Amino acid sequence: MSNKQPTSKIQQFEKQTYVDPNEKVLTSSLGTPVSDNQNSLKIGEKGPTLLEDFLLRDKLIHFDRERIPERVVHARGAGAHGYFHAYEGNEKWTKANFLIDTKTKTPIFVRISTVQGGRGSADVVRDVRGFSIKFFTQEGNYDLVGNNIPVFFIQDAIKFSDFVHAVKPENPNEIPTGQSAHDTFWDFISLNTETAHMSTWVMSDRAIPRNLRSIQGFGVHTYRLISADNKAVLVKFHWTPLQGVAQVVWDEALKLNGMDPDFHRRDLWDSIEQGNYPEWELGAQIFSEEDANGWDFDVLDPTKLIPEELVPVTPLGKFVLNKNPDDFFAETEQVAFSPANIVSGIDFTNDPLLQGRLFSYTDTQLHRLGTVNFNQIPINKPVCPFHTNRRGGYANHEIYQAKANYEPNSLDNNWPREAGDRSTSAFRSYEEKIEGCKLRVRPESFADHFSQATLHFSSLEEHEKQHIKDAYSFELSKVASQEIKQRVVDNILINIDLELARYVSKQFGLQVKDTQISQKKKAGSLTSKRLSISSFPASDIKQRKIAVLVHNGCNPNSINEIKKWADSENAIAEILGPSAAPVKDVNNNPVEVDGSQTGEPSVTYDAVVIIDGENYDEFISDGVAKHYVLESYKHLKPILLLKDKAELVDFLGLNQDEGVLKAEKVKEAKDAFKLAIQNHRIWDREEFIKAIPA
Ligand code: HDE
C-alpha cells in the first residue's frame, strides 16, 4: 500500500485500489486482491454460504482439478535442471549441433523415476530407474529417454501393455505397491523367456541404487548418428556418473522405505542445494552395420547389450545437474518426454520396441496433459525460435502475428516455409533401403533369450551373484502359486545358470529338471567386467553422509576434528545424540546436535563415527546406540571407533575388517576411513554378519 496520506477524493480512491506489486498481495486467479482469505461469504455470522462467493468458487474450482492422471508407468520421479557440454571431435559422427558445438552449454532437464509404483510410492524399491534427459538445443528439443539398465523386458512394443499390467499392482486389490514380488509379474516372466536377461538385472543391485546420483543411464535401443556428409553409424548411448555407481543392501532398502520414503528424492535435492552437483559423462558405443552383422546377437533386439569389451564407449560430452526445480508440478510432473523428440544428426532404427515408443509417448501426453498444446508448457517449450502453422486447441498460449497460417502462402512472403537444403538443422530421415512383405513375426535373430543373461550373471563379483540369488528367492517367496515358481526355475533360471537355479529351487523345495536347458543358447564363456558395479568406483566422498554418535561426556575436540575433515572432503557429518537436545561434553559444556539417533536412523548414512569421551558405560547401556552400530555393521558400512570406544569391537562381537577402524585421534584414521567410505561397502563382511541380529 502507498504511504501517502489521502488529501483529495481522487487520492483517497488511489489509496484504496493501489496495490504495490512488490507486496505480492494474494489475488484471485484474475488478479482481484483478496481482502479475507479465512472466511467465505455468508448471510449473517452463522448463515448459509452464498453461491455468489466468486472467491470461494475460484479457489475450489481450481483445487478440484489439481490432479492430472499420473504416468501409467514411471509415475514417481525427481527432476533437476542442468546443462550439457560436448567434447571436441564429435563431428566425425554427427551433425547434431549440441553434440559438436563445444562452446555452448545446452540447457537440460532430467527426470529420474521408478517404474512400478504410483506417485506416492517409496523410493528405494527394487525396480528399474527411468532416466530421461531433455536437451533444449538450438535445433529443437532432443529427448534421450532411457533407463539405468541397458536392456529391456520385451522385444516388441505390442507386448508392452501386457508386461505393464503384469508388473503393476494386481487387479482385485491393487497390491503390491512398488514391487514386482507378486504372482502376475512372475507369471509373465515365466511364460515369456525373452524377459530372462532383464530379470537378472532387476534382481541385481542395479535395481536398489544408493541414490539417483550413482546410477548409470542407457538409451537401450540402437540409434543412428548422421554426419554432415550423410554418413551413418549405429550407436548405443551410455551415461556414466562421475560419482561412481553404488547400491544399498536389501535389508537396508526395506528399512529405508519405511524410515524415509523420499530417500532418493531428498538426496538429489540436498546435493544440488549444497552445491555438490552430480555429473555424468555421455558416451556412445559406435559401430557400423557391418560390425553388427558379424555378431551373434541382433542390435535391433532391445533385450541385448553390446559388451564394452567388443565396442568401448566413446565419450561425447558431460552433463551436470545444478538447479532444483522451483515448482514440482509445473516442471517435474508436466515435463513430457518422448523418444520421438529428435534433432538432425540423430535418427531411429527399426528396433520394434523403439518403433512403438515413437507413437506411445505423444499419445500418453495428450491424455495426461489434456491438450495438444502440451509443448507450450514452459518446461516443454523449445528455447530456439519456432514457427508453425498450428493454431487453436485447448490452452493455446502462442499469439502468432502472421495473417497466413498455411504453406505455401503469398501473403506473408511465404513464411514460415520449409527449410529444404538450406540448413543442416533441417531434419531428414536416414535413407534406409527396406523391402519385404507385411508380416507379424519375430525374427530368428531375436530367438536366443539366454546367452546374455548368462553373460551378465557370470560377469559379476561373487557378492553381486549372491544378491541376485537372494533377490530371486525373496521375490518368489511372495508368489503364491507353486506352478509359477516351478516355471520360473524351469523356463528361466536353469537356462541362465544351473547353480542359480539350484539355489533358488532349494528355498522352495522345488526340483531342477536340467533336461530343459535351452538349445537356442549360444556357446561361449565370455564375461564382461563392465557389467559389474565394481567397475564404476567413486573417486571421492562428496555428499556421503557420516553419522557421528555422541553422549554426555563426549570429547568436543574429536567432534570438531571430524566435522572439519568432513567439510574439507565435501562430505556431511551430522552429530546425533540420544535425543535431539544438546549433550554435555567432558567439560560440562553443551554440544549442539543435528538430530537424535532414533530420528536419523543408520540406514540414512554411509558411515558412522563413535566419539570418545568419559562415557563408555553410558554408551553400552544405550540400546539405541548399540543397535545403531550393529545395524551399520550389518549393512557393511565403515565404522570409526575413537579411543575408549575401540573396546566396542569386542563388546559387540564385530570382526575387525578394513571398514572397522580404531584410532586415538581422527587424523590417524582419516585416510583409511575415507578410502572405506569411497569403496562404499565392505562386501567381504557379508560372510560374518549372519550371526548379527538387527
Ligand atoms: Fe517408456 N513410457 N515405454 N520405456 N518410459 C513412458 O510415457 C512405453 C520403455 C521410459 O520421466 C510413458 O510420459 C512403451 C523403454 C522412461 O516422464 C509411456 C514402451 C525405456 C519414462 C511409455 C516403453 C523406457 C517412460 C508413461 C515399449 C528405456 C518416464 C508416461 C514399446 C529405454 C519418462 C510417459 C518421464 C514413460 C511407453 C518402453 C523409458 C506410456 C509403449 C525400453 C524413462 O508413454
Side-chain angles (χ1 to χ4, degrees), residues 263-313:
F263 186 64
H264 282 164
R265 309 213 289 196
R266 189 188 309 285
D267 170 274
L268 183 65
W269 180 275
D270 286 351
S271 112
I272 293 174
E273 288 302 297
Q274 280 149 11
N276 281 334
Y277 302 137
E279 298 181 353
W280 283 258
E281 184 166 73
L282 177 70
Q285 289 176 294
I286 303 176
F287 53 100
S288 65
E289 298 215 17
E290 294 70 51
D291 294 334
N293 291 337
W295 298 330
D296 62 3
F297 57 89
D298 197 322
V299 296
L300 298 184
D301 171 358
T303 67
K304 303 295 186 302
L305 52 82
I306 305 176
E308 286 186 47
E309 288 73 8
L310 199 58
V311 184
V313 176

Side-chain angles (χ1 to χ4, degrees), residues 378-518:
I379 193 64
N380 297 320
K381 196 171 167 165
V383 298
C384 62
F386 59 94
H387 314 276
T388 77
N389 282 326
R390 272 155 233 153
R391 302 289 187 270
Y394 284 114
N396 180 29
H397 284 52
E398 295 301 326
I399 301 174
Y400 290 94
Q401 291 181 336
K403 177 165 183 169
N405 58 348
Y406 51 88
E407 197 258 333
N409 69 67
S410 66
L411 294 174
D412 288 325
N413 202 18
N414 200 20
W415 293 114
R417 73 179 83 140
E418 64 189 24
D421 287 331
R422 281 191 300 278
S423 157
T424 55
S425 301
F427 189 85
R428 282 180 177 280
S429 293
Y430 173 68
E431 286 184 22
E432 186 184 3
K433 187 166 179 232
I434 299 188
E435 49 189 337
C437 303
K438 274 196 231 168
L439 296 168
R440 281 191 193 276
V441 290
R442 196 69 64 89
E444 182 55 29
S445 56
F446 283 30
D448 168 11
H449 297 161
F450 301 113
S451 303
Q452 288 211 347
T454 306
L455 168 78
H456 175 228
F457 186 72
S458 346
S459 302
L460 303 181
E461 302 280 325
E462 281 313 310
H463 65 268
E464 292 175 298
K465 286 186 187 165
Q466 185 58 46
H467 298 164
I468 291 185
K469 290 179 187 171
D470 292 340
Y472 278 111
S473 305
F474 174 86
E475 294 265 317
L476 292 181
S477 76
K478 304 286 171 196
V479 170
S481 155
Q482 281 296 109
E483 292 78 57
I484 294 176
K485 286 184 207 163
Q486 184 70 58
R487 227 176 20 241
V488 172
V489 173
D490 293 347
N491 291 0
I492 306 289
L493 300 183
I494 55 173
N495 292 312
I496 300 173
D497 184 272
L498 213 47
E499 169 47 30
L500 169 67
R502 288 197 179 117
Y503 184 94
V504 176
S505 310
K506 209 169 143 201
Q507 315 302 316
F508 307 103
L510 299 172
Q511 297 302 312
V512 177
K513 301 177 216 132
D514 54 13
T515 44
Q516 312 223 345
I517 290 180
S518 167

Side-chain angles (χ1 to χ4, degrees), residues 501-642:
R502 288 197 179 117
Y503 184 94
V504 176
S505 310
K506 209 169 143 201
Q507 315 302 316
F508 307 103
L510 299 172
Q511 297 302 312
V512 177
K513 301 177 216 132
D514 54 13
T515 44
Q516 312 223 345
I517 290 180
S518 167
Q519 300 306 312
K520 293 229 168 84
K521 202 163 145 176
K522 303 262 163 45
S525 56
L526 193 72
T527 56
S528 172
K529 187 80 189 85
R530 299 281 291 174
L531 303 183
S532 164
I533 290 183
S534 61
S535 293
F536 303 93
S539 53
D540 56 44
I541 61 165
K542 272 189 203 164
Q543 201 64 26
R544 298 290 174 104
K545 284 182 77 182
I546 303 161
V548 181
L549 307 191
V550 295
H551 282 78
N552 286 329
C554 56
N555 176 359
N557 299 335
S558 301
I559 300 176
N560 291 340
E561 276 177 43
I562 202 85
K563 275 260 192 203
K564 221 167 120 193
W565 167 75
D567 279 354
S568 70
E569 297 288 349
N570 275 325
I572 298 154
E574 288 181 343
I575 316 297
L576 307 179
S579 74
V583 292
K584 294 270 168 61
D585 68 15
V586 270
N587 308 316
N588 223 16
N589 292 324
V591 175
E592 291 293 331
V593 297
D594 298 303
S596 75
Q597 291 160 26
T598 14
E600 310 302 327
S602 88
V603 286
T604 59
Y605 292 86
D606 295 291
V608 60
V609 180
I610 301 113
I611 294 292
D612 55 309
E614 290 171 10
N615 53 11
Y616 185 77
D617 289 343
E618 186 171 342
F619 189 97
I620 59 172
S621 58
D622 178 348
V624 173
K626 279 187 293 190
H627 176 260
Y628 210 100
V629 181
L630 283 173
E631 195 177 50
S632 306
Y633 181 76
K634 183 178 178 185
H635 295 153
L636 317 175
K637 296 175 184 174
I639 301 170
L640 172 58
L641 305 119
L642 291 173

Side-chain angles (χ1 to χ4, degrees), residues 71 74 111 132 145-147 157 160 353 357 360-361 364-365:
R71 290 165 173 82
H74 298 267
R111 184 173 180 274
S132 310
V145 193
N147 280 343
F160 188 65
L353 197 68
R357 294 181 74 202
S360 181
Y361 287 67
T364 211
Q365 310 310 351

Side-chain angles (χ1 to χ4, degrees), residues 66-128:
E66 279 174 8
R67 294 292 176 276
I68 59 172
E70 67 174 32
R71 290 165 173 82
V72 196
V73 278
H74 298 267
R76 181 169 179 85
H81 295 269
Y83 63 86
F84 168 82
H85 72 88
Y87 296 157
E88 302 275 343
N90 298 335
E91 59 286 347
K92 286 197 286 295
W93 321 113
T94 180
K95 59 186 165 185
N97 195 261
F98 81 102
L99 287 173
I100 56 182
D101 176 1
T102 54
K103 293 192 181 62
T104 306
K105 284 182 179 169
T106 301
I108 60 170
F109 186 78
V110 161
R111 184 173 180 274
I112 307 181
S113 48
T114 53
V115 178
Q116 199 265 13
R119 256 190 79 180
S121 56
D123 277 351
V124 197
V125 292
R126 174 173 297 287
D127 201 350
V128 184

